[in-house]
Amino acid sequence: MFNSLTERLSGAMQGLRGKGRLTEDSIRDALREVRVALLEADVALPVVKDFIAQVRMRALGQEVTKSLTPGQALVKIVNDELIRVMGEQNESLDLNAAAPVVVMLAGLQGSGKTTTTAKLAKHLAEAHGKKVMVVSADVYRPAAIAQLETLAGQVGAIFQPSDVSQSPVDIASGALAEARRQFADVLLVDTAGRLHVDAELMDEAKAIAAAVNPHEILFVVDSMTGQDAANTARAFDEALALTGVVLTKTDGDARGGAALSVRQVTGKPIKFIGAGEKPDALQPFYPDRIASRILG
Ligand code: GDP
């Protein structure tokens, strides 16, 4: 996902790495290039401004000018700043609650919710030894329920059937009762997608959340949407009090703006990234690893 950002940033950093001395002019030139690189990667403007201000403040301080290798020192500052905007640490799913722990997934249509539900089911079973049940509360697209059933079969999760004649709240509540009956550790609730942030479906998602009290509410978002990913996440957060974000399609040619903007714009951590269509293509999000990848 970060190819073009990596190319531009390493271009900006290249000239600095080996430099014995850095003047204010060379720092300013480098910062200008970093700014252009971030804007071209579709990072949200307030995030870019804050990023540059932080780097400038540290770069003009003693850390760089007094360093034996000022170029390296500046690269390190940019690296640290990338990690900071992405939230420093990996934040994993919080499963610390009485079973069945309910995890709800929300997001726009086509963002990858259903695929991510299956990926998470597999991850929770394999990495955490959990017994996972999945259910679809998407009563607008019968195909969505069938798709989840197929995927659940592939990843070995318990599939709780639902039907378009039911209300989404009843589906979710019924699934929770069934998850209790079957002693499932985790219940993943896939919700209806929407084409845009739409009040009616937002109310529906709120009603589902009120009925089953999810311990985690994850916003699933397509990284191709760049800084819009962060703006949409903010709108969902206002309605649903999200606990985290899953950034999908990072295997495509998205430019990185979503990864760099979500945390700062919403205050919510990216917990996982999706990097492919297959159920095993889900990775925990590690800001430091991503920063290293970006700086090449
Ligand atoms: P939903 O409408 O939000 O439930 O979205 P789906 O789960 O149906 O996904 C929409 C499309 O995106 C499907 O074709 C998925 O295979 C694809 N998809 C989902 N996640 C990823 C990902 O991380 N990488 C790639 N390349 N495709 C993905």
Side-chain angles (χ1 to χ4, degrees), residues 135-165:
V135 70
S136 171
D138 186 349
V139 295
Y140 307 99
R141 281 195 318 138
I145 299 174
Q147 183 194 355
L148 185 61
E149 180 168 19
T150 307
L151 289 169
Q154 286 172 18
V155 300
I158 307 166
F159 173 74
Q160 171 65 13
S162 49
D163 189 272
V164 292
S165 66

CSV table of all heavy atoms in Angstrom, one decimal, residues 135-165:
chain,number,residue,atom,x,y,z
A,135,VAL,N,-22.7,-14.3,13.0
A,135,VAL,CA,-24.1,-14.1,12.5
A,135,VAL,C,-24.1,-12.9,11.6
A,135,VAL,O,-23.4,-11.9,11.8
A,135,VAL,CB,-25.0,-14.0,13.7
A,135,VAL,CG1,-24.8,-12.7,14.5
A,135,VAL,CG2,-26.5,-14.1,13.2
A,136,SER,N,-25.0,-12.9,10.7
A,136,SER,CA,-25.2,-11.7,9.8
A,136,SER,C,-26.5,-11.1,10.1
A,136,SER,O,-27.5,-11.7,10.0
A,136,SER,CB,-25.1,-12.1,8.3
A,136,SER,OG,-25.5,-11.0,7.5
A,137,ALA,N,-26.4,-9.8,10.4
A,137,ALA,CA,-27.7,-9.0,10.7
A,137,ALA,C,-28.0,-8.1,9.4
A,137,ALA,O,-28.7,-7.1,9.5
A,137,ALA,CB,-27.5,-8.1,11.9
A,138,ASP,N,-27.4,-8.5,8.3
A,138,ASP,CA,-27.6,-7.8,7.0
A,138,ASP,C,-28.9,-8.3,6.4
A,138,ASP,O,-28.8,-9.3,5.6
A,138,ASP,CB,-26.4,-7.9,6.1
A,138,ASP,CG,-26.6,-7.0,4.9
A,138,ASP,OD1,-27.7,-6.5,4.7
A,138,ASP,OD2,-25.6,-6.8,4.2
A,139,VAL,N,-30.0,-7.7,6.6
A,139,VAL,CA,-31.3,-8.2,6.1
A,139,VAL,C,-31.6,-7.6,4.8
A,139,VAL,O,-32.7,-7.8,4.2
A,139,VAL,CB,-32.5,-8.0,7.1
A,139,VAL,CG1,-32.3,-8.8,8.4
A,139,VAL,CG2,-32.6,-6.5,7.4
A,140,TYR,N,-30.7,-6.8,4.2
A,140,TYR,CA,-31.0,-6.1,3.0
A,140,TYR,C,-30.5,-6.9,1.8
A,140,TYR,O,-30.9,-6.7,0.7
A,140,TYR,CB,-30.5,-4.7,3.0
A,140,TYR,CG,-31.0,-4.0,4.2
A,140,TYR,CD1,-30.2,-3.9,5.4
A,140,TYR,CD2,-32.3,-3.5,4.2
A,140,TYR,CE1,-30.7,-3.2,6.5
A,140,TYR,CE2,-32.8,-2.9,5.4
A,140,TYR,CZ,-32.0,-2.8,6.5
A,140,TYR,OH,-32.5,-2.2,7.6
A,141,ARG,N,-29.5,-7.7,2.1
A,141,ARG,CA,-28.8,-8.5,1.0
A,141,ARG,C,-28.8,-10.0,1.4
A,141,ARG,O,-27.9,-10.4,2.1
A,141,ARG,CB,-27.4,-8.0,0.8
A,141,ARG,CG,-27.3,-6.7,0.0
A,141,ARG,CD,-25.9,-6.5,-0.5
A,141,ARG,NE,-24.9,-6.8,0.5
A,141,ARG,CZ,-23.8,-7.4,0.3
A,141,ARG,NH1,-23.5,-7.9,-0.9
A,141,ARG,NH2,-22.9,-7.7,1.2
A,142,PRO,N,-29.7,-10.8,0.9
A,142,PRO,CA,-29.7,-12.2,1.2
A,142,PRO,C,-28.3,-12.8,0.9
A,142,PRO,O,-27.9,-13.7,1.6
A,142,PRO,CB,-30.8,-12.8,0.3
A,142,PRO,CG,-31.6,-11.6,-0.1
A,142,PRO,CD,-30.8,-10.4,0.0
A,143,ALA,N,-27.7,-12.3,-0.2
A,143,ALA,CA,-26.4,-12.8,-0.6
A,143,ALA,C,-25.4,-12.6,0.5
A,143,ALA,O,-24.4,-13.5,0.7
A,143,ALA,CB,-25.9,-12.1,-1.8
A,144,ALA,N,-25.5,-11.6,1.4
A,144,ALA,CA,-24.6,-11.4,2.4
A,144,ALA,C,-24.6,-12.5,3.5
A,144,ALA,O,-23.6,-12.9,4.0
A,144,ALA,CB,-24.8,-10.0,3.1
A,145,ILE,N,-25.8,-12.9,3.8
A,145,ILE,CA,-26.0,-14.0,4.8
A,145,ILE,C,-25.4,-15.3,4.2
A,145,ILE,O,-24.7,-16.0,4.9
A,145,ILE,CB,-27.5,-14.2,5.1
A,145,ILE,CG1,-28.0,-12.9,5.7
A,145,ILE,CG2,-27.7,-15.3,6.1
A,145,ILE,CD1,-29.5,-12.9,6.0
A,146,ALA,N,-25.7,-15.6,2.9
A,146,ALA,CA,-25.2,-16.8,2.3
A,146,ALA,C,-23.6,-16.7,2.2
A,146,ALA,O,-22.9,-17.7,2.4
A,146,ALA,CB,-25.7,-16.9,0.9
A,147,GLN,N,-23.1,-15.5,1.9
A,147,GLN,CA,-21.6,-15.4,1.8
A,147,GLN,C,-21.0,-15.7,3.2
A,147,GLN,O,-20.0,-16.3,3.3
A,147,GLN,CB,-21.3,-13.9,1.4
A,147,GLN,CG,-19.9,-13.6,1.2
A,147,GLN,CD,-19.6,-12.1,1.1
A,147,GLN,OE1,-20.6,-11.3,1.2
A,147,GLN,NE2,-18.4,-11.7,1.1
A,148,LEU,N,-21.6,-15.2,4.3
A,148,LEU,CA,-21.0,-15.4,5.6
A,148,LEU,C,-21.1,-16.9,5.9
A,148,LEU,O,-20.2,-17.5,6.5
A,148,LEU,CB,-21.8,-14.6,6.7
A,148,LEU,CG,-21.1,-14.7,8.1
A,148,LEU,CD1,-19.7,-14.2,8.1
A,148,LEU,CD2,-22.0,-13.9,9.1
A,149,GLU,N,-22.2,-17.6,5.5
A,149,GLU,CA,-22.3,-19.0,5.8
A,149,GLU,C,-21.2,-19.8,5.1
A,149,GLU,O,-20.6,-20.6,5.7
A,149,GLU,CB,-23.7,-19.5,5.3
A,149,GLU,CG,-23.8,-21.0,5.6
A,149,GLU,CD,-25.3,-21.5,5.4
A,149,GLU,OE1,-26.1,-20.8,4.7
A,149,GLU,OE2,-25.6,-22.6,5.9
A,150,THR,N,-20.9,-19.4,3.8
A,150,THR,CA,-19.9,-20.1,3.1
A,150,THR,C,-18.5,-19.9,3.8
A,150,THR,O,-17.7,-20.8,4.0
A,150,THR,CB,-19.8,-19.5,1.7
A,150,THR,OG1,-21.1,-19.7,1.1
A,150,THR,CG2,-18.8,-20.3,0.8
A,151,LEU,N,-18.3,-18.6,4.1
A,151,LEU,CA,-17.0,-18.3,4.8
A,151,LEU,C,-16.8,-19.0,6.1
A,151,LEU,O,-15.7,-19.4,6.5
A,151,LEU,CB,-16.8,-16.8,4.9
A,151,LEU,CG,-16.6,-16.0,3.6
A,151,LEU,CD1,-16.8,-14.5,3.8
A,151,LEU,CD2,-15.2,-16.3,3.0
A,152,ALA,N,-17.9,-19.0,6.9
A,152,ALA,CA,-17.9,-19.6,8.2
A,152,ALA,C,-17.5,-21.1,8.1
A,152,ALA,O,-16.7,-21.6,8.8
A,152,ALA,CB,-19.2,-19.5,8.9
A,153,GLY,N,-18.0,-21.7,7.0
A,153,GLY,CA,-17.7,-23.1,6.7
A,153,GLY,C,-16.2,-23.2,6.5
A,153,GLY,O,-15.5,-24.2,7.0
A,154,GLN,N,-15.7,-22.3,5.7
A,154,GLN,CA,-14.2,-22.4,5.4
A,154,GLN,C,-13.3,-22.2,6.6
A,154,GLN,O,-12.3,-22.8,6.7
A,154,GLN,CB,-13.9,-21.3,4.4
A,154,GLN,CG,-14.4,-21.5,3.0
A,154,GLN,CD,-14.1,-20.3,2.0
A,154,GLN,OE1,-13.3,-19.4,2.3
A,154,GLN,NE2,-14.8,-20.3,0.9
A,155,VAL,N,-13.7,-21.4,7.5
A,155,VAL,CA,-12.8,-21.1,8.7
A,155,VAL,C,-13.2,-21.9,9.9
A,155,VAL,O,-12.6,-21.8,11.0
A,155,VAL,CB,-12.8,-19.6,9.0
A,155,VAL,CG1,-12.3,-18.8,7.8
A,155,VAL,CG2,-14.2,-19.1,9.5
A,156,GLY,N,-14.3,-22.7,9.8
A,156,GLY,CA,-14.6,-23.6,10.9
A,156,GLY,C,-15.3,-22.8,12.1
A,156,GLY,O,-15.2,-23.2,13.2
A,157,ALA,N,-16.0,-21.7,11.8
A,157,ALA,CA,-16.7,-21.0,12.8
A,157,ALA,C,-18.2,-21.5,12.9
A,157,ALA,O,-18.7,-22.0,11.9
A,157,ALA,CB,-16.7,-19.5,12.6
A,158,ILE,N,-18.8,-21.4,14.0
A,158,ILE,CA,-20.3,-21.8,14.1
A,158,ILE,C,-21.0,-20.7,13.4
A,158,ILE,O,-20.9,-19.5,13.7
A,158,ILE,CB,-20.7,-21.9,15.5
A,158,ILE,CG1,-19.8,-22.8,16.4
A,158,ILE,CG2,-22.2,-22.3,15.6
A,158,ILE,CD1,-20.0,-22.6,17.9
A,159,PHE,N,-21.9,-21.1,12.4
A,159,PHE,CA,-22.7,-20.1,11.7
A,159,PHE,C,-24.1,-20.1,12.3
A,159,PHE,O,-24.8,-21.2,12.4
A,159,PHE,CB,-22.7,-20.5,10.2
A,159,PHE,CG,-23.7,-19.6,9.4
A,159,PHE,CD1,-23.4,-18.3,9.1
A,159,PHE,CD2,-24.9,-20.2,9.0
A,159,PHE,CE1,-24.3,-17.5,8.4
A,159,PHE,CE2,-25.8,-19.4,8.3
A,159,PHE,CZ,-25.5,-18.0,8.0
A,160,GLN,N,-24.5,-19.0,12.8
A,160,GLN,CA,-25.9,-18.9,13.3
A,160,GLN,C,-26.8,-18.3,12.1
A,160,GLN,O,-26.6,-17.2,11.7
A,160,GLN,CB,-25.9,-17.9,14.5
A,160,GLN,CG,-27.3,-17.5,15.0
A,160,GLN,CD,-28.1,-18.7,15.5
A,160,GLN,OE1,-27.5,-19.8,15.8
A,160,GLN,NE2,-29.4,-18.5,15.7
A,161,PRO,N,-27.7,-19.1,11.7
A,161,PRO,CA,-28.5,-18.7,10.5
A,161,PRO,C,-29.4,-17.5,10.8
A,161,PRO,O,-29.8,-17.3,12.0
A,161,PRO,CB,-29.4,-19.9,10.2
A,161,PRO,CG,-28.8,-21.1,11.0
A,161,PRO,CD,-28.1,-20.5,12.1
A,162,SER,N,-29.6,-16.7,9.8
A,162,SER,CA,-30.5,-15.5,10.0
A,162,SER,C,-31.3,-15.4,8.7
A,162,SER,O,-31.0,-16.0,7.7
A,162,SER,CB,-29.8,-14.2,10.3
A,162,SER,OG,-28.7,-14.1,9.4
A,163,ASP,N,-32.4,-14.6,8.7
A,163,ASP,CA,-33.3,-14.5,7.6
A,163,ASP,C,-33.7,-13.1,7.4
A,163,ASP,O,-33.9,-12.3,8.3
A,163,ASP,CB,-34.5,-15.4,7.8
A,163,ASP,CG,-35.3,-15.5,6.6
A,163,ASP,OD1,-36.2,-14.7,6.4
A,163,ASP,OD2,-35.1,-16.5,5.8
A,164,VAL,N,-33.9,-12.7,6.1
A,164,VAL,CA,-34.2,-11.3,5.8
A,164,VAL,C,-35.6,-10.9,6.3
A,164,VAL,O,-35.9,-9.7,6.4
A,164,VAL,CB,-34.2,-11.0,4.3
A,164,VAL,CG1,-32.8,-11.1,3.7
A,164,VAL,CG2,-35.1,-12.0,3.5
A,165,SER,N,-36.4,-11.9,6.8
A,165,SER,CA,-37.7,-11.5,7.3
A,165,SER,C,-37.6,-11.1,8.8
A,165,SER,O,-38.5,-10.5,9.4
A,165,SER,CB,-38.6,-12.7,7.2
A,165,SER,OG,-38.2,-13.7,8.1
